[in-house]
Amino acid sequence: MTGLKLDAALHCVQGRKSLNEDAAGVQVPTDNYLLHSKGAVLVVADGVSSAEAGKEASETAVKRFIEEYYSTPDTWSVSHCGEKILSTINLRLYRQSHEFATESKGYLCTFSSIIIKSQTAHFFHVGDSRIYLFRDGELKQITNDHKASIADGKFFLTRAMGMDNRLHLDYGRLALQQGDRLLLTSDGIHDFLGDGDIVGVLNKPASSQEQSQQLVDLAYKQGSDDNISAVVCYVEQLPSENLDDYSAKLTRLPFPPELEPGMKIDGYVVDKTLFASSRSQLYLVHDEVSGNAYAMKTPSQNFTDDIGYIDRFIQEEWIGSRIRNPHVIEVVRQTRERTCLYYLMEVGQGIGLDQWMEANRLPSPKRAIAIVKQIADGLQSFHDNEAIHQDIKPGNILIDQNDDVKIVDFGSVYVAGLSEIHKAIEHEGVLGTASYSDPVYLTGTNPGIQGDLYSLATITYEMFAGEIPYGEAIENCRSSIDYDRLRYQSAAQFNPVIPKWFDRALEKGVKFDLEQRYSSIPSFLKDLTHPNPEFLKDDPVSEQKSSTLMFWKLMSGFWFVTFLLVIYLFLQAD
C-alpha cells in the first residue's frame, strides 16, 4: 500500500508593518501511524489589527489547533475534530476579549486551515484569509471571504475567531489528485497579487519552500503594506486506501471482552484489575516492548449498542489529552493502531482522598491548605481549557505518601463551546457524591466554573472541619425547597482553631445562590490564604438580631418592673 507524501512549507513576515500579527503553521508527521490516522495540517491566521490583541489571537489559534488536533481520538472524523477544537478556541478568545473594559482590546483573527488525511483535503475557514487549489494549471479559490463592503471601497469583517461566543465556521472537503498544489494566504498576499501573479509562481518548477517565499517577496514588491503569509503544499503521492474505508474501520472498533491477568491487547499485557463497575473497567497493564506500566480503561459490554455512551467514552480520551497539569492524571497518546476500544492513562499512585481524610482527621492547617492548593491548580487547568470537571469529590482525587495530589476521572467533564446538549451529571448509586455536587446541578442548571468551585469549597471545609457544610441532611434533598431548609454550619464549631474570616470564605464558597458565591477559584484561594477585611467585620444580620433581642429584653424587663410596681401599689391601697 502506498502512503501519503507531501512537500509543505510556509513563509510569514511582518512586511512593512512594525508588528507581525499573522501566524502560520505546517505539521506533517514523520510517524507513519500518525500521518495515516490523523494526516497533515496547514494553517494561516491573520490577527485583526484594530482589535489590539490580534497577534495573540492568531498565535493562539494556530498553536492550539495543531496541538489539539493531534490529541483527538483516532475514532473521530476530521470534521468532528476541527469543529470541536475551533469552537473551544473561539470561546476562549471571546472570553479573553471580554475581560477588558475597552472594546478595542479584542482577541480577534481570521482562520483558514486544511487537514490532508488519506485522499481528502478538509478545510475550515472563517474571515478573509484564503485557500486556493492549483490543479492542471488552473487556480481556484475554494473559500469565500467573510467581509462586507462599506463606503469608499472599504471593507469590514463579518466573521472572525473570537467575534461571537458561537463560531460560524465554513467546512468543506475536496478529493485530492496527485500533483495538486494547495495554497493558503493572508490578505497581505491576495489583496496585492492577481490570480495571474499567483499562477506564475506556482507554475514554476520549485519546492514549496521556494514558492511560498517567492509569493511573499512578490507581494512586498507590488506594494503590500500588510503582514504577508503564504503556505504552499504539493501533493507528491496519495495513499491507495480509501479514506471512507479507513474512517469506517476506526469508528467501528469493537468493545474488548472482560480482561484477565495475562491477556494481551495490541501489545499491552494485563497485570490485574484495578476497578470494575457497570459502566467501565480499569486495568493495570504493561507494554510488552518497552515494559512501561499504564492504566487501561475499557467500556462496559452493557453499552455496546449505546451510541451516546460510545461517543462519551471516546470524548473522555480527548478531554484528558488536552489537560497537561501535574495534578491531573495524564492520558497517554498511543502510537500504534488499536484493534478495540480503550484508552491508556498514567498509573496513579496513592489512595483516594476520602480514605486519606478518614486516616488523617483534622490535619494541620499548613498541610491541609497545601493539598487544597494542588486540587485547585488541577481544576484551574480544566477551566483554562474551557472544560468543567463536574464531579469533583474525594473519591476522584488520588493522594500519595508525599501528599501529592492528582485529579482523576473524565467521565462527567463538560467542554464549553461544543454543540452537544448539556445534561446534568447523574449519580447512579455513588455514595456521598451528592455531598460534594453543587445543588444547582441537581436541580437541572449548569453553574459552570462555580459548580467545580462549590465542590472544592466543600472538600476544603471537610479537611478543616471533619464534617460537611450542610450536614448529612443534604444527601436526602430532592428539590429546591429541600435545599432552602438547609443552613450552613459554622466550621469553627467543629474545629475551634478556624478563624472567622476563614469560615466566612468557606461559607461564601458553598452558597447556593450563584450571585453570592465566588465566581473563580483564584478569588476563593485568595480569601482562604489572606484575611478578607470584609469578613473581619461583624455580621450585620447577626448585629440586627442581637439588637432586636436586646430591645425585647429591655422591654420585657420594663414591663415586669411595672407589673411588680402595680401589684405593690394595689396592696398598699388595701
Side-chain angles (χ1 to χ4, degrees), residues 109-405:
C109 68
T110 69
F111 185 91
S112 297
S113 176
I114 293 177
I115 294 176
I116 302 173
K117 182 176 176 183
S118 189
Q119 302 172 359
T120 304
H122 303 259
F123 63 87
F124 304 89
H125 171 71
V126 57
D128 64 351
S129 298
R130 289 181 182 175
I131 299 175
Y132 295 91
L133 170 67
F134 183 63
R135 175 182 291 171
D136 298 329
E138 294 185 7
L139 185 71
K140 180 182 180 181
Q141 182 181 339
I142 61 174
T143 54
N144 296 314
D145 296 344
H146 298 144
K147 62 183 182 180
S149 175
I150 54 178
D152 301 324
K154 294 182 179 180
F155 295 87
F156 70 91
L157 282 175
T158 57
R159 294 194 216 171
M161 293 283 288
M163 183 177 286
D164 194 357
N165 62 346
R166 294 188 66 87
L167 179 63
H168 301 283
L169 181 71
D170 286 351
Y171 164 76
R173 49 192 293 171
L174 174 71
L176 292 174
Q177 296 178 13
Q178 188 169 314
D180 284 346
R181 282 194 187 274
L182 297 165
L183 171 65
L184 294 79
T185 62
S186 65
D187 56 4
I189 284 187
H190 54 252
D191 281 357
F192 297 89
L193 296 183
D195 287 0
D197 297 321
I198 296 174
V199 169
V201 173
L202 297 182
N203 254 332
K204 294 178 182 178
S207 68
S208 293
Q209 182 65 66
E210 292 169 332
Q211 290 183 344
S212 62
Q213 184 161 353
Q214 288 169 10
L215 286 167
V216 169
D217 292 344
L218 183 58
Y220 186 86
K221 183 179 179 181
Q222 296 192 187
S224 178
D225 57 359
D226 204 344
N227 304 139
I228 316 173
S229 300
V231 175
V232 178
C233 179
Y234 177 62
V235 181
E236 296 179 341
Q237 179 179 284
L238 291 171
S240 58
E241 185 177 36
N242 181 274
L243 175 62
D244 292 333
D245 293 339
Y246 180 65
S247 295
K249 180 175 66 178
L250 284 175
T251 54
R252 292 172 186 167
L253 287 175
F255 281 26
E258 291 188 14
L259 304 176
E260 297 179 359
M263 296 177 69
K264 296 181 183 180
I265 291 182
D266 303 334
Y268 301 106
V269 182
V270 178
D271 295 322
K272 66 177 180 179
T273 301
L274 298 174
F275 171 82
S277 72
S278 61
R279 297 188 63 83
S280 62
Q281 299 78 223
L282 193 66
Y283 301 98
L284 177 65
V285 303
H286 70 270
D287 187 330
E288 62 180 350
V289 176
S290 67
N292 294 335
Y294 303 105
M296 175 186 284
K297 187 169 184 178
T298 63
S300 170
Q301 292 285 340
N302 297 329
F303 300 92
T304 52
D305 298 321
D306 189 330
I307 301 299
Y309 171 90
I310 295 171
D311 181 65
R312 187 71 192 180
F313 184 87
I314 292 170
Q315 183 168 290
E316 284 182 37
E317 180 182 5
W318 174 63
I319 291 169
S321 66
R322 296 174 72 233
I323 310 297
R324 287 286 181 266
N325 185 280
H327 305 303
V328 179
I329 206 78
E330 181 181 355
V331 170
V332 178
R333 175 69 195 176
Q334 291 178 237
T335 57
R336 59 178 71 133
E337 190 170 347
R338 276 173 275 198
T339 58
C340 53
L341 190 58
Y342 63 88
Y343 67 89
L344 301 175
M345 298 177 284
E346 67 170 308
V347 180
Q349 302 296 325
I351 60 175
L353 186 61
D354 49 351
Q355 297 173 268
W356 187 91
M357 286 193 291
E358 287 182 12
N360 298 272
R361 184 175 172 81
L362 301 183
S364 69
K366 181 179 179 181
R367 190 181 186 190
I369 203 66
I371 293 171
V372 169
K373 285 181 177 179
Q374 292 182 69
I375 302 171
D377 185 56
L379 269 181
Q380 189 61 49
S381 69
F382 281 85
H383 301 167
D384 290 343
N385 284 277
E386 307 302 331
I388 313 298
H389 190 282
Q390 294 192 126
D391 198 17
I392 286 294
K393 58 184 178 182
N396 280 342
I397 300 168
L398 290 179
I399 182 168
D400 65 16
Q401 59 184 2
N402 298 317
D403 286 357
D404 290 331
V405 163

Side-chain angles (χ1 to χ4, degrees), residues 422-437:
H422 168 69
K423 294 182 180 179
I425 55 175
E426 298 178 3
H427 309 288
E428 299 180 1
V430 183
L431 182 62
T433 301
S435 301
Y436 307 96
S437 293

